Amino acid sequence: LIARREAGEIRRYVHLSTGNYNPRTARLYTDLSLFTVDPALGADLSALFNYLTGLSKHADYQRLLVAPTRLRGAIRERIAAAVDDAARGGRPYIAAKVNALVDTEMIRLLDDACARGVRIDLVVRGMCGLIPDPARHQGRLHIRSVIGEFLEHSRLYHFDIAGKAEWYAGSADLMDRNLDRRVEVLFPLLEPTSIARSAEVLRVLLADQQIGRAHV
């Protein structure tokens, strides 16, 4: 976060990423990042850094989903909304790209959502505690793992529920340590170019027939 006084006003430049500023891993990992001057995201980042440095004890965010205070609940709410949409005859869809899926609540919620009519595509590079069950999930759950020359490190979340589509990128995997014991951030992708790029990443990984493997 860089704040500058420009023409008598404070302008915030924000860089949000799925990785960190490590010069070694930057040569080996593939990450996604967003550089923006969006005022709401700038205000959110200011609130987050004030919280981290102890200048404030509480932070309210307009657009960021931040762990450990809000992220788990936000994902839980979206999965529940998808289940409700399916019950009304809708065609909800959830897609995510993460390094690991081992949190027991997230596994249970995704398993139940798929069994109740939600279509789910997951790209899980490493540990995955959810296994597709053809009888239970009726072909609605697909999970793939892609491990290539560079470590797939970016996290993406997509929710398409009741005609409303949301895209998020960030640092959080679906692990209890990420959701409950660390400060992690998911940030929304709002511009068409960012959304198109993220959709392309997911599409390519889900279609990979060379180095991808399916969880069955």
Side-chain angles (χ1 to χ4, degrees), residues 160-176:
D160 193 341
I161 303 167
K164 178 183 178 182
E166 293 182 298
W167 285 88
Y168 287 89
S171 61
D173 289 306
L174 295 177
M175 308 174 70
D176 59 348

Side-chain angles (χ1 to χ4, degrees), residues 62-65 70 74-75 77-79 81-82 93-96 156-169 186-190 194-195 198-199 202:
Q62 301 175 63
R63 291 184 173 171
L64 295 183
L65 304 180
R70 181 74 182 95
I75 296 176
E77 290 167 5
R78 284 159 175 77
I79 296 174
Y93 175 64
I94 296 173
L156 286 170
Y157 294 83
H158 174 47
F159 305 93
D160 193 341
I161 303 167
K164 178 183 178 182
E166 293 182 298
W167 285 88
Y168 287 89
L186 292 187
F187 53 92
L189 303 173
L190 305 172
S194 300
I195 293 172
S198 300
L202 274 178

Side-chain angles (χ1 to χ4, degrees), residues 21-214:
Y21 294 103
N22 186 313
R24 289 188 177 182
T25 58
R27 297 177 180 273
L28 301 172
Y29 292 7
T30 61
D31 278 291
L32 296 173
S33 65
L34 177 70
F35 186 55
T36 178
V37 293
D38 180 273
L41 287 174
D44 279 0
L45 260 291
S46 293
L48 175 60
F49 281 125
N50 286 338
Y51 170 75
L52 290 174
T53 57
L55 292 177
S56 68
K57 294 185 178 180
H58 303 283
D60 294 321
Y61 306 103
Q62 301 175 63
R63 291 184 173 171
L64 295 183
L65 304 180
V66 180
T69 58
R70 181 74 182 95
L71 181 54
R72 178 185 289 276
I75 296 176
R76 184 190 298 131
E77 290 167 5
R78 284 159 175 77
I79 296 174
V83 171
D84 290 342
D85 186 33
R88 293 191 298 267
R91 301 183 62 184
Y93 175 64
I94 296 173
K97 176 185 180 298
V98 294
N99 293 335
L101 169 55
V102 295
D103 181 81
T104 55
E105 183 191 29
M106 291 296 124
I107 292 169
R108 176 179 57 81
L109 290 175
L110 290 169
D111 172 74
D112 180 67
C114 193
R116 296 170 66 178
V118 180
R119 187 165 60 92
I120 300 175
D121 283 333
L122 303 174
V123 179
V124 184
R125 191 196 73 223
M127 296 180 291
C128 181
L130 179 60
I131 299 175
D133 182 340
R136 177 171 171 78
H137 301 134
Q138 298 294 309
R140 289 184 292 265
L141 176 62
H142 299 93
I143 307 175
R144 298 187 62 80
S145 175
V146 178
I147 302 177
E149 178 182 359
F150 297 100
L151 188 140
E152 280 290 338
H153 195 244
S154 57
R155 292 85 160 184
L156 286 170
Y157 294 83
H158 174 47
F159 305 93
D160 193 341
I161 303 167
K164 178 183 178 182
E166 293 182 298
W167 285 88
Y168 287 89
S171 61
D173 289 306
L174 295 177
M175 308 174 70
D176 59 348
R177 72 181 188 190
N178 295 109
L179 298 173
D180 299 328
R181 301 198 303 274
R182 290 182 178 179
V183 176
E184 306 275 6
V185 172
L186 292 187
F187 53 92
L189 303 173
L190 305 172
E191 296 297 325
T193 52
S194 300
I195 293 172
R197 174 60 175 155
S198 300
E200 179 187 22
V201 169
L202 274 178
R203 183 171 60 252
V204 169
L205 292 174
L206 289 168
D208 186 279
Q209 298 294 323
Q210 298 296 316
I211 57 176
R213 63 181 178 86

